[in-house]
Amino acid sequence: MDGQALVYCEGFFGTPVGKTANGLVRFTARYEVKGVIDSTLRGRDAGEVLDGKRCGIPIFGSLDEAAAALQGIRPVFIIGLAPDGGKLPESAREAVKNAIELGMPIVSGLHQFLSEDPEFADLATRYGVVIKDVRRPPDRSQLHFFTGKIEEVKALKIAVLGTDSAIGKRTTAVKLAQELNQAGIKTEMIGTGQTSWLQGTRYGILLDSMINDFVTGEIEHAIYEAYMNEEPEVILLEGQGSIAHPAYPGGFELIAAGRVDGVILQHAPNRQVYDGFNAYPIGSLDREIKIIELLSRNPVIALTINHEGMSEDEVRRTVLDYESKYERPATDVLLDGCDKLVDVIRKMLSRNRLRAMDAPAHVEPEATSPLLNNTPLTNLEGVQFPFITTKCRLEACAPRIPLESRLKSQVKKRAWIQDPRPCLLIRICRPEAGVPLLLHELVSAQFGIDLNLG
């Protein structure tokens, strides 16, 4: 952890503008949150305000009140606001100055760099305080351009996108990553925003502060590094904005660079206009699904619900309605957890393992078949053999799965007994040993069948 923290969110805690503070109260591996500042909710428990469940994080009415309650602690002062445009509200300047004067390090995820504000910079120098602007991009020499190395990533890649900004994409991704790991499915999340960084996500970028030419390369690099270093089965990508958002169009860069296998789509059924843009009606769920599936050429595998302005009964009815109408799982992860999402991802992993077992054959070029007039067998796809299922094409393509186990499950013993014609001799290799094996010898040993080789 990077220490204890006090989160400033005056007037906006529990709202979309306070989404950074909201996220830090729900989860952070980087800081121990000791309190939130919002005078409109003074005295309440932050978890109770957000999710109806106490979490032990108090809401203070002012910085002075918080400092008095936290005597002996010098917490990091985090800007928990995420206003449109990313500028610090004028009303917050006094609180930032007071925090510096109290010796509190300042951490901001705003687009406006507080370290470059002359007044803040002078105060920070005088009081020996560090101001960290999370959204400051790395030097261009450190940025990565897209290379195609994403194709080496064999983990299941799922993007968590939404129909609007500040709709709960990151919250859903964080909770899903936690529950997948708890279920024994090793998962890494790729963060793409300032709140993910503040929460301590190990891999990611700050997408909306990146030079456009390097966005896809940085996404690719983050995914690749997570895969190579952690060897996860699943990689979740946190979405930003929404595909058709007039001010924050986002999601396509994740689909394109991440080569995702599927999308989870977050939606707020009661939200009629884009957040902060009342003149723009929000796109329909049907339209968003069609756009995403057209762009990704992969399915929206589940729908998740932001329940703002909804009763619990309304959420339940909406879940049932969506599952009936869209024929895919739907859930509210804050009310019901991620069981449905874990199930659908587990099924996708199982299908991927089966596809790996059914990969095209690796056959030595000199191998021939007496059943095919001794034609060289450089490609077995589509060829019918009397002793093997059409799906088994005899490539040892998954070194972690014993070759013998795959053949035992795929070869039809019955077919061998019923068809005594000369059998095809195919030379295959076990990749972990690199030792050629004759198929008839292997199957004979496994099934105890005396093969008639003619």
Side-chain angles (χ1 to χ4, degrees):
M1 280 198 170
D2 289 354
Q4 298 166 316
L6 184 62
V7 183
Y8 180 85
C9 197
E10 178 58 34
F12 292 103
F13 184 67
T15 73
V17 173
K19 66 179 184 178
T20 295
N22 302 343
L24 291 172
V25 165
R26 286 186 172 123
F27 167 77
T28 175
R30 191 178 294 276
Y31 299 103
E32 180 187 357
V33 177
K34 304 300 289 186
V36 174
I37 297 175
D38 186 346
S39 62
T40 66
L41 297 167
R42 179 178 181 270
R44 296 189 62 183
D45 180 274
E48 189 174 38
V49 170
L50 277 183
D51 302 317
K53 301 174 184 177
R54 296 183 66 84
C55 68
I57 298 175
I59 301 178
F60 299 109
S62 67
L63 176 58
D64 288 341
E65 181 185 346
L70 301 175
Q71 284 186 359
I73 298 174
R74 186 177 294 179
V76 176
F77 187 85
I78 297 177
I79 307 300
L81 300 169
D84 291 329
K87 294 182 178 180
L88 183 74
E90 281 297 316
S91 58
R93 289 189 64 87
E94 198 63 30
V96 175
K97 289 190 292 183
N98 291 343
I100 294 173
E101 290 169 352
L102 288 171
M104 297 180 182
I106 308 298
V107 175
S108 169
L110 298 171
H111 283 297
Q112 176 187 352
F113 296 155
L114 302 190
S115 61
E116 296 180 357
D117 182 287
E119 186 175 19
F120 294 155
D122 287 347
L123 278 174
T125 300
R126 188 186 315 167
Y127 288 94
V129 165
V130 174
I131 300 176
K132 181 173 182 61
D133 291 303
V134 172
R135 264 195 172 117
R136 186 180 294 278
D139 188 89
R140 295 187 185 196
S141 64
Q142 299 175 26
L143 298 177
H144 301 84
F145 196 75
F146 186 84
T147 65
K149 64 185 178 183
I150 190 70
E151 303 301 337
E152 299 175 35
V153 177
K154 304 308 179 186
L156 186 70
K157 301 181 295 296
I158 304 294
V160 181
L161 306 184
T163 56
D164 195 5
S165 60
I167 203 168
K169 300 178 288 289
R170 173 184 37 77
T171 298
T172 292
V174 167
K175 289 188 69 65
L176 178 55
Q178 291 170 342
E179 294 196 25
L180 283 167
N181 279 306
Q182 290 167 7
I185 301 171
K186 190 172 182 181
T187 301
E188 283 293 329
M189 174 178 152
I190 306 299
T192 55
Q194 75 277 10
T195 306
S196 288
W197 185 93
L198 290 166
Q199 289 180 317
T201 302
R202 291 187 290 182
Y203 297 93
I205 65 170
L206 274 71
L207 192 151
D208 60 7
S209 65
M210 194 68 57
I211 298 170
N212 191 59
D213 274 1
F214 295 98
V215 166
T216 55
E218 285 294 301
I219 291 170
E220 177 190 49
H221 181 70
I223 295 171
Y224 182 82
E225 288 293 297
Y227 178 69
M228 298 303 291
N229 294 338
E230 311 300 334
E231 298 184 349
E233 293 181 79
V234 177
I235 295 177
L236 300 178
L237 282 63
E238 174 203 2
Q240 290 292 321
S242 69
I243 289 287
H245 199 294
Y248 307 122
F252 178 60
E253 62 278 89
L254 295 171
I255 289 172
R259 319 305 294 171
V260 298
D261 301 294
V263 172
I264 293 170
L265 184 59
Q266 178 98 357
H267 182 61
N270 270 13
R271 196 178 286 192
Q272 302 302 312
V273 295
Y274 286 111
D275 180 55
F277 299 88
N278 293 338
Y280 294 90
I282 197 167
S284 70
L285 188 54
D286 300 70
R287 177 171 174 261
E288 295 284 328
I289 291 173
K290 289 177 183 176
I291 293 173
I292 290 169
E293 292 188 336
L294 178 65
L295 291 174
S296 69
R297 293 186 292 182
N298 278 304
V300 171
I301 62 171
L303 304 170
T304 50
I305 293 171
N306 177 322
H307 60 239
E308 63 183 25
M310 301 175 71
S311 68
E312 194 166 325
D313 285 342
E314 288 174 322
V315 172
R316 305 289 181 226
R317 289 196 296 272
T318 300
V319 166
L320 293 174
D321 177 55
Y322 282 3
E323 291 187 331
S324 173
K325 180 177 180 180
Y326 298 107
E327 298 181 333
R328 64 199 83 199
T331 189
D332 182 327
V333 301
L334 292 178
L335 291 180
D336 298 320
C338 299
D339 287 351
K340 291 181 181 179
L341 307 182
V342 172
D343 286 346
V344 73
I345 287 173
R346 197 189 299 276
K347 289 174 183 175
M348 291 179 74
L349 287 170
S350 295
R351 287 196 294 269
N352 282 359
R353 293 187 188 106
L354 288 174
R355 280 198 292 268
M357 290 167 57
D358 292 341
H362 169 77
V363 183
E364 292 189 357
E366 70 273 14
T368 61
S369 168
L371 300 181
L372 297 174
N373 298 319
N374 294 318
T375 302
L377 298 176
T378 56
N379 184 2
L380 296 181
E381 188 166 0
V383 177
Q384 300 289 331
F385 301 112
F387 55 88
I388 198 164
T389 65
T390 56
K391 287 186 177 180
C392 181
R393 292 194 291 271
L394 309 180
E395 181 184 20
C397 56
R400 296 180 182 179
I401 305 173
L403 183 62
E404 293 87 344
S405 298
R406 285 204 302 280
L407 290 173
K408 186 172 182 179
S409 65
Q410 294 174 3
V411 174
K412 293 182 179 178
K413 179 177 178 181
R414 181 175 63 252
W416 284 89
I417 298 171
Q418 292 175 350
D419 194 334
R421 289 180 295 173
C423 297
L424 176 65
L425 301 183
I426 303 175
R427 194 173 290 272
I428 59 176
C429 292
R430 188 190 335 223
E432 59 265 45
V435 179
L437 299 172
L438 285 176
L439 175 64
H440 72 273
E441 293 177 349
L442 179 62
V443 176
S444 179
Q446 284 289 317
F447 295 102
I449 301 172
D450 184 15
L451 303 180
N452 178 6
L453 300 179

